[in-house]
Amino acid sequence: MKKLILMLTVMLFSQNLAFAQTADIKKSSKSGICYSAESKSYKKVKDFTPYKTMDECVASGGKLPKAQAKKKSA
């Protein structure tokens, strides 16, 4: 029983640690759209290429999401 509790604790901690390390990663989806962590769709994107900055993502051929592109042009 103690081993089970220990394993569950380690698994929970490692998931939280992994999330904390990836929270600032910018994502480029299969469709080539670049998402920041502030984007509503960020958590939905599961198959992606990670980038350190949005500029790096866009420079690689990615596009900004429509809502963010509208804000930038205004």
Side-chain angles (χ1 to χ4, degrees):
M1 184 69 169
K2 289 181 182 181
K3 287 184 179 182
L4 177 62
I5 293 172
L6 180 61
M7 283 180 20
L8 290 173
T9 304
V10 170
M11 286 174 46
L12 181 63
F13 178 73
S14 64
Q15 287 177 346
N16 289 338
L17 183 59
F19 176 75
Q21 291 174 343
T22 60
D24 62 340
I25 291 176
K26 311 316 180 234
K27 297 178 177 181
S28 176
S29 65
K30 281 185 181 180
S31 60
I33 299 173
C34 301
Y35 294 99
S36 65
E38 294 82 30
S39 172
K40 292 179 183 178
S41 301
Y42 184 82
K43 290 182 181 179
K44 295 178 186 176
V45 179
K46 301 297 180 196
D47 188 14
F48 63 91
T49 303
Y51 293 96
K52 291 181 182 179
T53 66
M54 286 296 279
D55 289 337
E56 186 179 310
C57 185
V58 172
S60 72
K63 303 173 283 192
L64 293 175
K66 289 181 183 178
Q68 193 171 356
K70 286 180 186 177
K71 286 181 186 178
K72 197 170 188 175
S73 65

